[in-house]
Amino acid sequence: MQPIAFGPKVIFELPFLDGIPVTETVVNTWFIMAVLVVLSIIGTRSLKLVPKGKQNLAEAVVEVLNNLTKQTMGDDKMSFAPYMGTLFLMLLFMNLLGLIGLRPPTADLNTTLALAIMTFVMIHYFGARTKGLGTYLKGFTEPFVFLLPLNIMGELATPISLSFRLFGNMVGGLIVLSLAYGGLTSLSSMLGLDLLPLFQGGIPVVLHLYFDVFAGVLQTFIFVMLTMVFVSLAMD
Amino acid sequence: MKKRKGHVLQNLALVSYIGISMMVPILAGVVAGRWLDQRFGTNPIFLFILIISGVLIGGRNAYYLAMKDVDPTTKRERK
């Protein structure tokens, strides 16, 4: 029996510096980017004052995301709405990519850690900018000076917790689904149903519903929500 | 501070984050402590120090998350 590998497959290699591997993760991210760009272009083409059809849908999506930002961060931080909206849509599409049989890019620690590091940089950049560098740095020595290393380590734990939780959820779902597909396929062929995918046709739907739709949407929401809460916390 | 809507969802996200924000520093302490002990042959001094500081950091993270919604004015009154 051959071992099952769950890591992202290398699609091709870029021919400099000993070959940079371009994995499934990156290619699927490009696909998501293309889909989002095309959808934005279609949704915002020939805008009218009274929205109709696809413009209506686009406006509804933007309004929901704007409201989410406004409720969580407050009216004064609405300038974050475009970033949070983009993050939300991108994570949503990434997590739901498993539904069409592609590997979700979020099932790769590189993707989630990159997004979490962006959140981390935002927390500290905007924290230092609104509070002033001195007050911001002094915040690390509160309530006692000797807690400084503890505070710094605690801050460094934020991107790790954020990225590991999304990555863990998505890669766990991916592994369970791959095992289920493998097992159900051999079950079908054991019963002599090679041409008729009886078991792997229907049963994984339930698993997809839980691991891709439920966990995917929930984790998207939590990631964006935590990013908003942490950034606005650092700024107040 | 004015009351914000969407509080339920926000708090759910935060509550579910408290667990992992306590766990990550402790596990990081275990990994880093074992590595440092192997490196310097000081088994198990670094492991203990880093696990204890991991627990403290986890407690600090949970405290900050829990204190997030306390109104700053009441916090000052209590001091």
Side-chain angles (χ1 to χ4, degrees), chain A residues 26-41:
Chain A
V26 180
V27 176
N28 289 354
T29 312
W30 290 339
F31 173 65
I32 302 271
M33 283 158 62
V35 168
L36 283 175
V37 167
V38 169
L39 282 182
S40 330
I41 292 173

Side-chain angles (χ1 to χ4, degrees), chain A residues 80 83-84 113-130 136 140 155-156 158-160 162 223 227 230-231 234-235:
Chain A
F80 286 104
Y83 175 73
M84 299 303 167
L113 193 60
L115 293 172
I117 287 173
M118 279 166 76
T119 301
F120 178 74
V121 171
M122 277 173 79
I123 293 171
H124 293 286
Y125 173 73
F126 287 107
R129 210 177 69 167
T130 45
Y136 162 75
F140 281 105
E155 289 302 326
L156 287 177
T158 307
I160 299 176
L162 265 179
F223 193 97
T227 302
F230 285 144
V231 172
M235 288 175 76

Side-chain angles (χ1 to χ4, degrees), chain A residues 72 151 153 155 165 226, chain B residues 4 16-17 20 57 60 68:
Chain A
T72 314
N151 282 336
M153 296 294 285
E155 289 302 326
R165 114 181 249 152
L226 287 173
Chain B
R4 282 169 297 178
S16 66
Y17 183 77
I20 194 168
I57 292 166
R60 170 214 175 259
K68 178 194 85 69

Side-chain angles (χ1 to χ4, degrees), chain A residues 68 70-76 139-140 142-143 149-155 157-162 164-165 221-222 225-226 229-230 232-233 236, chain B residues 1-2 4-18 20-22 24-25 28 50 52-54 56-57 60-61 64-65 67-69:
Chain A
L68 189 71
K70 194 189 274 179
Q71 282 166 6
T72 314
M73 302 184 80
D75 286 323
D76 52 328
F140 281 105
E142 278 166 0
L150 236 62
N151 282 336
I152 293 174
M153 296 294 285
E155 289 302 326
T158 307
I160 299 176
S161 325
L162 265 179
F164 272 51
R165 114 181 249 152
F221 184 76
I222 287 179
M225 195 57 120
L226 287 173
V229 169
F230 285 144
S232 61
L233 255 182
D236 296 329
Chain B
M1 201 203 270
K2 63 184 188 313
R4 282 169 297 178
K5 276 201 283 176
H7 236 65
V8 178
L9 291 170
Q10 188 190 333
N11 284 348
L12 263 180
L14 281 170
V15 164
S16 66
Y17 183 77
I18 285 181
I20 194 168
S21 76
M22 290 188 76
V24 162
L50 287 177
I52 291 169
S53 50
L56 291 175
I57 292 166
R60 170 214 175 259
N61 284 350
Y64 272 81
L65 276 179
M67 291 301 283
K68 178 194 85 69
D69 258 351

